[in-house]
Amino acid sequence: MTCCPAGGAEVEMAELYVKPGNKERGWNDPPQFSYGLQTQTGGPKRTPLTKRVAAPQDGSPRAPETSGPPPVDHPPPSSKASRPPPMGSCPATGVEPPSSPVIESETLIEDVLRPLEQALEDCRGHTKKQVCDDISRRLALLQEQWAGGKLSIPVKKRMALLVQELLHHQWEAADDIHRSLMVDHVTEVSQWMVGVKRLIAEKRSLSSEEAKEEKSTVAPENQTIPGFQQSS
């Protein structure tokens, strides 16, 4: 099984930049930025290239203003330009062929579904049966789409991160990953993500109730019996 560490830092940088547009968007619509990139603050602003430069005070001639980079003189083509290697020749040493496959660890469906199903079992008896049945049906849709190859790699990775945050009771982080999936991949997750969101809320409520019960059982043990005073 592949263990995926908790935390949003493990999301690849490629997922933070440009993502495919929605399927309902036109072919010439520009791609949208990812949810993670929208929530980050931008760096220092660069000076626009069209900004006017103040004139020098010493009277020296001023360089002409331009709105773009200076022209670059291209050297004349050399007679010894690189040519493609002849047929049958081996590539140069140390250069990998561009068609080499990239090995990437696959997120297993068991690593995501098993913790979600266990969280649902914990909520049974504390949550309405209708709500539990709806969550179970949504998780079945998640399993069906995952097994059918209808989920992309970024969705699988973020779901693995969401499960890790859920196991560590990091409710805010898990809910934030849920929102990022709804913003960036709504066409893939809209059918079952509602159940995952409700499961996070029910598991959070159950955890807070268990914490209150523990405090109520510990408090009477610390109280002194009436009529008796502790010896100094």
Side-chain angles (χ1 to χ4, degrees), residues 32-95:
Q32 297 175 325
F33 286 100
S34 176
Y35 174 85
L37 188 61
Q38 295 176 10
T39 56
Q40 295 178 359
T41 57
K45 297 183 179 180
R46 300 177 56 186
T47 304
L49 298 177
T50 57
K51 184 177 181 181
R52 293 180 175 272
V53 181
Q57 301 296 331
D58 53 358
S60 57
R62 183 176 61 181
E65 298 178 357
T66 177
S67 60
V72 180
D73 296 334
H74 298 281
S78 174
S79 59
K80 297 181 180 181
S82 59
R83 297 179 180 178
M87 298 296 294
S89 61
C90 298
T93 305
V95 179

Side-chain angles (χ1 to χ4, degrees), residues 79 81 85-87 103 109 115 127-128 145 162-163 175 192 218 230:
S79 59
M87 298 296 294
I103 301 176
I109 186 174
T127 308
K128 295 181 180 180
Q145 293 186 5
L162 187 149
V163 167
D175 195 56
W192 46 266
V218 172
Q230 296 180 353

